[in-house]
Amino acid sequence: MGMSGFFILIWYLHDDKPKMMKKFMLLLLGVFLCISCGSKEDQALIGTWKLTEQLIDIGDGKGTFRKIPSEKTIQFFSDGTFASNGYMCQMFNTTGPEGLGTYSAEYKTLSPSNCKEEIMPIHYEVKNGSLILSYPCIEPCQQKFVKI
């Protein structure tokens, strides 16, 4: 329905059925509020996260997260972009060079923009207060971050 159809519908509902118009406007307001707020998980992603653990599985399925010393951080912004003080195109736990890119809350992916080679998106999930990045590897390759 185009804008003209929308205005005709409002006129129709307003002209003939005032109570129905109120219900329609409340419903419309509720839809707009739901769309503009996003999910709690998406809002929880915004901010700065620090790398604390890493998982590299050798192929036997017995890999577990292990604590690692790292100063690597990722900051997520509400405009769908992120910045890191470490390279994001491969699974490094060191700082430098800066990693930049975009993320999709809908698909739960990060797409670094400053890679020398084209890479597949990095999948993420926010689980039990941690951000887990899953890099494209044959075996599981993941990093776990905590919000700071």
Side-chain angles (χ1 to χ4, degrees), residues 87-145:
Y87 194 57
M88 293 297 298
C89 302
Q90 296 175 354
M91 193 172 90
F92 293 132
N93 60 2
T94 57
T95 58
E98 182 180 48
L100 302 170
T102 59
Y103 67 92
S104 167
E106 180 181 357
Y107 297 108
K108 306 277 188 238
T109 58
L110 305 180
S111 298
S113 61
N114 58 337
C115 302
K116 295 175 186 169
E117 66 283 338
E118 188 173 327
I119 67 164
M120 294 174 56
I122 301 163
H123 291 272
Y124 76 84
E125 68 176 317
V126 178
K127 184 177 181 180
N128 299 326
S130 295
L131 169 68
I132 300 173
L133 301 185
S134 297
Y135 286 82
C137 298
I138 294 171
E139 306 301 338
C141 302
Q142 297 179 321
Q143 291 182 322
K144 188 181 284 188
F145 293 75

